Amino acid sequence: MNAGASDKLTVRLANWPHLLLAAHLLMLHALAFGGWQIPAVKLLWLVALGLFLIWQPFVAGEQRISLRQSAVLLGAVLASTLLLGPWLMLIWCGALAASIGGRGLWAENRRERFGYLLAFGYLIGLTVLGVVPELSPATLIDPDLRGWVARLMPVALPVLLLFPAREPRRRSGEAFDLFYGMLVFLVLAVFVLGALANMLVSGGSYIESLFKTSMAVAGALLLVAWAWNPRAGFSGIGSAISRYLLSLGMPLEQWLIQLSEESERHTEPTRFLGAVMSRLGALPWVLGASWTAGEIEGQMGEQATHRHTCQVNDVALSLHFRQAPSPAMRWHVEWLLRLVIEFYLVKRQSEQLQRLGYVQAIHETGARVTHDVKNLLQSLQALCYAATQPGDPAEVAGLLGRQLPQITDRLKATLDKLQSPRMEVVGSVAADIWWARLKDRYAHVPVEWSQRGGAGCMVPLGLFDSVAENLLQNAMAKRQREPGLNIGVAFVDGSLSVSDDGSAIESPRAKALLNEPVSSEDGLGIGLYHAARQAEGMGYRLSLAENRPGRVAFKLSPGA
């Protein structure tokens, strides 16, 4: 029951940090002005340490210390009580001033910040007027003046309670700035030691030395503040220090150059990742490295408990350190690892795109071969139909004799496409010969043929056969849906056009017809798309020349 009441009291006190600080300063005040020499007053040091342990911003107050830690803490408290003197109190006041300064920097509320400034000023006055004069008889101060100061200074402590402080963050390190605290400690040490040195060198009084030293320190601080962030367009030493802290021996520009070198040297993402992590593992402040990218894992050097991991999706990179890295080090390492991950993801995506390109080439070749085989099958069906019709056997034999060698050549060209997906065998033939063969092939189909010019030119056989077959088959399929449809095929000055007088193609489908695969009532819907791509590859252009009711025409012409 007593333990529970004690815990509740501790929690309530922790919620009033300025009350704890004021009580601690009051105990120090009693000890500083000669109280450390009185054994009864000297016991207030124990109370002051207890109040400080509840107020301190270094370790979370909810943590319970072990028996060993309690023994060490008790020994330190007893030893400091026995050795309590002006020098110990001077060091303690300096450390406390650093703690107040480092904690006040994190105060977001203006009134709370004013409270910490008031406590800081009180502690400075306690140090220079109470503790330092106890160090040596040479630091003489008027006894009446010191007595009035000793009696009047505690009056300012209740004012500290008018500036309420919020409940402190209960995680270690978040309420204290170590760099700022060390700077405050060093400035205070320079101020006290400078005052003593000035008094001994110049032979003046202690108060005069305090005034001169305070002016000198204030001027130096103003100069440093101006040099840190000047207004005349210079970056200042603050920018230089920030750049140094962010470089940490490896500037980002140098690291980007190394990444580019390894990226050019290794095309495979896995080897690139291993080479880059090896470079990181060679840094003096790195003990080892490990990485995971999907099912790929690797490591080098030694593994340690202190590490920093950067993970993006399935890629996780870790660096292991000899000592716990600082926040600036973690921030720097985070950017280094993120750059590695971005380079790796780009190389992996490039590899995947290369594979997809190969698969797409196979797919397009397969689709094109499928259409060629389909056209060949339709040609064979037309020959079989012509052979079964009554008529002169000599004419039928002549038709088969002319058409079967052409079908054999087209089938051989189709097999060549299947064996070499990325290679298109381009064979040219005279336009007159190709036109005669096309008319002969579709002699049994009612089509209006028209030729003008281009008699001596050469045309790519595979392209013109493929486009003509696709356009004529589509037109004949449309005739089945729209009986009485007239189909016209014209070859004019090296350009081929196939037209009909049926219904127009819907506008959305017409826009996408030659640019992407579209749904089709009679086929796979990708014949014209592949024919258009084939035409582009050979320097021709397949287009929908006209699209209106009564006139739909496709045209294959030279030029992109």
Side-chain angles (χ1 to χ4, degrees), residues 458-524:
M458 305 291 290
V459 296
L461 179 62
L463 172 62
F464 272 67
D465 276 344
S466 177
V467 172
E469 293 283 354
N470 275 288
L471 295 178
L472 284 172
Q473 294 299 334
N474 290 340
M476 288 186 291
K478 185 177 181 180
R479 174 183 285 174
Q480 294 180 0
R481 299 192 304 271
E482 302 176 12
L485 186 74
N486 295 319
I487 302 174
V489 180
F491 184 79
V492 179
D493 297 330
S495 298
L496 172 69
S497 64
V498 177
S499 61
D500 63 73
D501 57 358
S503 60
I505 304 174
E506 298 87 346
S507 180
R509 178 179 293 185
K511 293 179 179 179
L513 188 61
L514 301 175
N515 298 317
E516 60 185 54
V518 297
S519 58
S520 174
E521 298 88 346
D522 308 292
L524 298 177

Side-chain angles (χ1 to χ4, degrees), residues 52-192:
F52 176 79
L53 289 177
I54 301 175
W55 175 84
Q56 53 81 29
F58 305 103
V59 181
E62 293 84 356
Q63 293 185 2
R64 292 186 177 274
I65 59 178
S66 63
L67 183 60
R68 180 179 178 182
Q69 292 173 339
S70 301
V72 174
L73 181 60
L74 180 60
V77 170
L78 293 178
S80 63
T81 305
L82 294 175
L83 299 176
L84 184 61
W87 284 106
L88 180 60
M89 291 193 62
L90 180 62
I91 296 175
W92 179 261
C93 289
L96 183 60
S99 301
I100 294 175
R103 186 166 183 173
L105 183 66
W106 286 89
E108 299 176 358
N109 190 297
R110 180 178 297 180
R111 295 183 60 192
E112 180 182 0
R113 201 158 47 241
F114 284 161
Y116 282 117
L117 289 176
L118 176 61
F120 182 76
Y122 185 92
L123 190 59
I124 296 299
L126 183 66
T127 302
V128 298
L129 298 177
V131 178
V132 176
E134 298 287 333
L135 292 175
S136 172
T139 55
L140 297 177
I141 298 181
D142 187 1
D144 294 335
L145 176 61
R146 193 163 184 263
W148 278 104
V149 170
R151 286 189 293 269
L152 293 178
M153 280 187 64
V155 178
L157 290 178
V159 182
L160 185 60
L161 302 180
L162 300 178
F163 301 96
R166 61 184 176 86
E167 182 180 355
R169 299 178 183 177
R170 305 313 298 169
R171 283 181 288 178
S172 174
E174 288 191 357
F176 181 76
D177 191 303
L178 179 61
F179 181 78
Y180 188 77
M182 291 179 60
L183 181 62
V184 170
F185 182 84
L186 293 175
V187 171
L188 183 58
V190 169
F191 175 60
V192 173

Side-chain angles (χ1 to χ4, degrees), residues 18-68:
H18 280 356
L19 178 60
L20 293 171
L21 186 56
H24 181 75
L25 292 176
L26 183 60
M27 302 299 170
L28 290 181
H29 183 93
L31 293 169
F33 287 90
W36 61 275
Q37 299 177 0
I38 306 173
V41 180
K42 201 173 186 179
L43 294 177
L44 293 178
W45 177 250
L46 300 176
V47 181
L49 289 179
L51 294 173
F52 176 79
L53 289 177
I54 301 175
W55 175 84
Q56 53 81 29
F58 305 103
V59 181
E62 293 84 356
Q63 293 185 2
R64 292 186 177 274
I65 59 178
S66 63
L67 183 60
R68 180 179 178 182

Side-chain angles (χ1 to χ4, degrees), residues 14 41 46 55 70-71 80 107 120 188 260 282 331 360 365 374 403 414 426 437 452 465 474 476 512 555:
V41 180
L46 300 176
W55 175 84
S70 301
S80 63
F120 182 76
L188 183 58
S260 301
W331 188 90
Q360 183 180 5
T365 302
K374 175 186 175 182
Q403 294 296 325
T414 301
V426 181
R437 290 178 180 177
R452 185 176 69 252
D465 276 344
N474 290 340
M476 288 186 291
K555 184 177 182 181

